[in-house]
Amino acid sequence: MFVQPLARPISRAASPIPSSIGRSPDLIKPYSNSQDFEIERIPKSPMRPLMPLADPGYENSPDFRDYVSRLLDATNAPFTISGRITLNASQLVLFFRTKTGITHSLDFPVDVDYCLPPSLEVLIGTCKPHQTTDLITYPERPSLLYPTDLPLTFSLDIANHPILDAVRNTLFPNLPNGHHMSTRRDKLEIVDTGSRLDLQPHSLRQDGRTATIIVTLPSRFEGGSLVVHNSNSLQERYLGRGGKIDEVEWTAFLPDCRYEIEPVQRGCRISITYGVYLRSFGPSGPEPLIRPSDNFLDQLAPILNLSRGRKVAFYLEFDYPVNPAESLAESVVPLLRGGDSLLYHAIKLYKLGPELHWTAGGYIWPIDRSLDFVGDDIAERRPLRPHVLSSALPLRGQVPPLRGPFNASETSNVADDEQASNLRMKVEQSGAISINEAEITILKGWSTTTAGKERVYFVSGGELEKLVINVLLVFVP
């Protein structure tokens, strides 16, 4: 017989408050609003042992100063740079042709310790010993060079990766605008197990290049460090990644550097060398980027024939973001656009040596002079104090009044003779001469000539003014 337990009634009343008998009133915590927040504590990292502090005056020790000096020298004049491209190596293919005319393809990644691809065997057989190989030290395993007269194509296009940007920003930080870098494949080098690549002098790369880029293909190897030497006997050693399947390593260095590859202990090191070349439409550029059409050159030819032996000039049509007070007129060349660019390149194509000059109010400045009217008050003819000059500068969004004898605006007021005389004196003191004295003929058409305008601030009578400056393209046919 089963005995049914007594059923307990379910109470719907609130739970009784626990008795506080026998407890100290101080132990009862009042209700706090902070209980409404859910807080997760971040685990703290274990405390690292404190390193002993350097002794006072450590920065003046000869050893420390020598370390800092070496670091600053390497920072101020880098001659090489290295990086990696992250990609899927299985998508890379190397196409090459043997002397018999048969085309082969080598798939990556390559691991000769696991399996020697037949195409790699054919590639090694097609290569010839490097011209700098020491056959006495390495008679059986010389470094190999793919013949330059045979076709070779690699599916990796370094122009699709920011390698050239890194080379430009690091090795050529002062390269002006308007200069363009391009690459051209140079050679393919193979360093097999037990061989090395001897020091490669820069005389082997005298083809006008600006830099050299070495791309290491994803083929596993051990050893084979790349060592780059500069002209000051400094060197950088790149240990390499051993041909990782998800990365392609590249190294760039200046044209006067030498490089070598240390002995490969295991595997096969395959690399492709590229030459970096500079093209520019600047005044000292090796090659122009654009060439005007024959029709444009035919229209320029009669002007050159009729002006032979004379100094002639054209006004530039566009405005350019260049401050004539801080820069030479030649700094506009990399920024030329539209018809200005066509005209400059056409004159340069005729080997006439075009020059850009600042001009204003019938005066022209020498090619090696800039304008600076901010430091003096042309009315008082004495230097301005710094607080006066700063108070005279316009606030953002405000345009100061434009006056003066050099102003071409029709809405401006005519300046008095004294201000014109002071400004003319200031212009002549800055090195400018009259266009008539320079014997320059400005070429204009029947219609109104549109000239680009640049502006230079100057102070006259305590007020900030702007002098309108044009750019002249001067040449002698």
Side-chain angles (χ1 to χ4, degrees), residues 271-464:
S271 59
I272 298 181
T273 304
Y274 296 87
V276 180
Y277 302 90
L278 188 64
R279 302 192 67 186
S280 170
F281 49 86
S284 58
E287 292 183 64
L289 281 175
I290 65 175
R291 291 182 178 273
S293 64
D294 293 338
N295 184 34
F296 188 88
L297 296 177
D298 293 340
Q299 295 178 10
L300 179 62
I303 300 176
L304 301 180
N305 293 331
L306 296 176
S307 305
R308 189 174 302 276
R310 301 287 185 177
K311 283 186 179 180
V312 294
F314 288 96
Y315 280 112
L316 295 189
E317 178 183 358
F318 293 92
D319 299 345
Y320 297 97
V322 176
N323 186 0
E326 300 177 351
S327 306
L328 302 178
E330 285 288 311
S331 61
V332 178
V333 174
L335 309 176
L336 293 177
R337 60 182 185 270
D340 297 342
S341 178
L342 284 176
L343 184 59
Y344 183 89
H345 283 84
I347 297 174
K348 191 174 181 180
L349 192 62
Y350 279 105
K351 310 292 184 182
L352 297 180
E355 297 178 352
L356 296 185
H357 295 258
W358 300 121
T359 179
Y363 285 84
I364 184 171
W365 278 262
I367 190 174
D368 58 346
R369 298 294 294 270
S370 60
L371 293 76
D372 190 2
F373 295 131
V374 182
D376 299 316
D377 190 327
I378 65 172
E380 299 180 5
R381 301 181 184 178
R382 60 181 177 85
L384 289 177
R385 297 178 181 178
H387 71 276
V388 177
L389 181 60
S390 61
S391 63
L393 292 175
L395 298 177
R396 180 174 297 181
Q398 296 182 355
V399 179
L402 192 63
R403 302 183 307 172
F406 292 85
N407 178 26
S409 175
E410 297 179 358
T411 59
S412 61
N413 298 325
V414 179
D416 54 274
D417 295 339
E418 183 180 358
Q419 185 186 30
S421 176
N422 294 336
L423 182 58
R424 185 175 292 107
M425 181 180 300
K426 185 65 178 178
V427 168
E428 293 177 352
Q429 290 177 355
S430 66
I433 60 176
S434 66
I435 294 180
N436 293 333
E437 183 181 352
E439 298 181 351
I440 297 177
T441 302
I442 299 179
L443 305 180
K444 301 179 181 180
W446 296 109
S447 58
T448 304
T449 302
T450 303
K453 298 179 181 180
E454 316 301 334
R455 293 161 180 84
V456 173
Y457 288 101
F458 70 98
V459 179
S460 176
E463 295 184 0
L464 190 65

